[in-house]
Amino acid sequence: MRDLVAGFGYLMKGQRWVARHGRWWGIGMLPALVTLVGYAAALVCVAFWTDDVVAWATPFADDWANPWLGLFRGALAGLFVAACLLLAILTFTAVTLLVGQPFYESLSEEVDRSVGGFAPESGLPLWRELLISARESLAVLLRAALWGVLLFALGFVPVIGQTVIPAIGFCVSGFFLAEELTAVALARRRVPLKERLQLLRGRRMLTLGFGVPLTLLFLIPLVSVFLMPGAVAGATLLARDLTGEDEVAPDGGAFAGHAADVAPTPHAPSGYAS
């Protein structure tokens, strides 16, 4: 429970940080605003075609009598729209971070400097960072999509499909959303995707405490635009916790927490090799 509260605390600390640094808040909203326009158009199309998609997927129910046909397909339509919204949240973050990579990386570095006085750098050129970010974001989205298909299928199960499964869906979305956001800070520390996932699973309640409330907030129109800069700032603070950088050493200093705080070694993961 302590980690759950701490995760939510990092979300709030990130929002307070950008509130105190208005310039970074304004800069961080621009990529999110551009991405939101495209996603709004896509979601309108989803809402328009939902009934047709559900009818196509359930031909076996065509002969059902009312009100069962309406109730069944109405519930499935709700699940389909919810699944699309959750997928939109995950992909929105990935696309926004990719579009605004230079902005969010600079914001994350500034948070590191303001807290620890030092901002780790990957040492890679921007094009290489973008390539790695796109590749790892795609891998995360594929994982999220597999979970989405599984949860959508389980949505057909009576009772739990309309109660437990949506709750699990929000937890899954919150986990992957936290991964996408912490990747900004952890990639600068040359932590590859596999290790990032291990760090987040090792502190699952901390991760969910940060990601699930943010997932719910992102469901509110326009909120994602205003919260994205603070989400990146909070995720940077969360990343520092995951790597142990804020732990106090016996001499009063701080532990480095990860090999990224020193010069890269020849044994760096292949995706980040110099």
Side-chain angles (χ1 to χ4, degrees):
M1 182 61 70
R2 181 180 298 176
D3 265 0
L4 195 66
V5 175
F8 181 72
Y10 285 127
L11 177 59
M12 299 305 296
K13 289 176 183 177
Q15 300 304 322
R16 288 198 295 268
W17 190 93
V18 295
R20 294 194 303 267
H21 301 78
R23 183 173 72 91
W24 288 107
W25 188 34
I27 291 174
M29 283 194 293
L30 292 177
L33 184 60
V34 171
T35 308
L36 180 66
V37 173
Y39 271 73
L43 288 174
V44 168
C45 293
V46 167
F48 183 77
W49 291 102
T50 292
D51 290 342
D52 293 333
V53 171
V54 172
W56 170 81
T58 58
F60 57 85
D62 288 342
D63 297 329
W64 289 13
N66 286 322
W68 306 115
L69 177 61
L71 291 174
F72 176 69
R73 285 184 170 169
L76 289 183
L79 284 172
F80 178 72
V81 171
C84 289
L85 284 173
L86 292 176
L87 186 60
I89 291 172
L90 290 172
T91 57
F92 174 86
T93 302
V95 173
T96 301
L97 291 175
L98 190 60
V99 171
Q101 172 85 5
F103 302 101
Y104 293 128
E105 188 165 312
S106 296
L107 189 157
S108 179
E109 289 176 355
E110 190 64 26
V111 173
D112 268 326
R113 291 190 189 95
S114 68
V115 175
F118 171 73
E121 297 181 2
S122 68
L124 300 176
L126 178 59
W127 69 268
R128 185 77 175 277
E129 290 182 349
L130 289 172
L131 181 62
I132 293 172
S133 177
R135 185 184 64 201
E136 293 185 338
S137 292
L138 180 60
V140 170
L141 292 177
L142 288 175
R143 286 176 168 86
L146 290 175
W147 272 99
V149 170
L150 174 61
L151 293 174
F152 180 74
L154 291 175
F156 287 86
V157 180
V159 183
I160 67 168
Q162 294 75 46
T163 54
V164 177
I165 299 305
I168 294 176
F170 281 114
C171 290
V172 171
S173 297
F175 179 88
F176 285 117
L177 181 60
E179 194 288 323
E180 288 284 357
L181 290 165
T182 54
V184 178
L186 292 176
R188 286 191 292 105
R189 291 160 168 81
R190 292 199 171 194
V191 184
L193 176 59
K194 184 177 180 180
E195 288 186 27
R196 294 203 300 267
L197 291 173
Q198 289 174 348
L199 285 173
L200 293 168
R201 291 190 191 106
R203 302 285 299 280
R204 187 172 282 106
M205 297 306 291
L206 182 71
T207 303
L208 295 180
F210 179 85
V212 173
L214 194 58
T215 298
L216 295 172
L217 288 169
F218 274 15
L219 290 174
I220 305 172
L222 295 179
V223 167
S224 56
V225 174
F226 294 100
L227 294 186
M228 182 60 78
V232 173
T236 301
L237 298 173
L238 174 61
R240 294 178 63 87
D241 188 339
L242 291 171
T243 57
E245 291 174 41
D246 290 330
E247 295 179 5
V248 178
D251 61 356
F255 289 113
H258 198 274
D261 290 341
V262 296
T265 70
H267 303 292
S270 59
Y272 290 88
S274 300

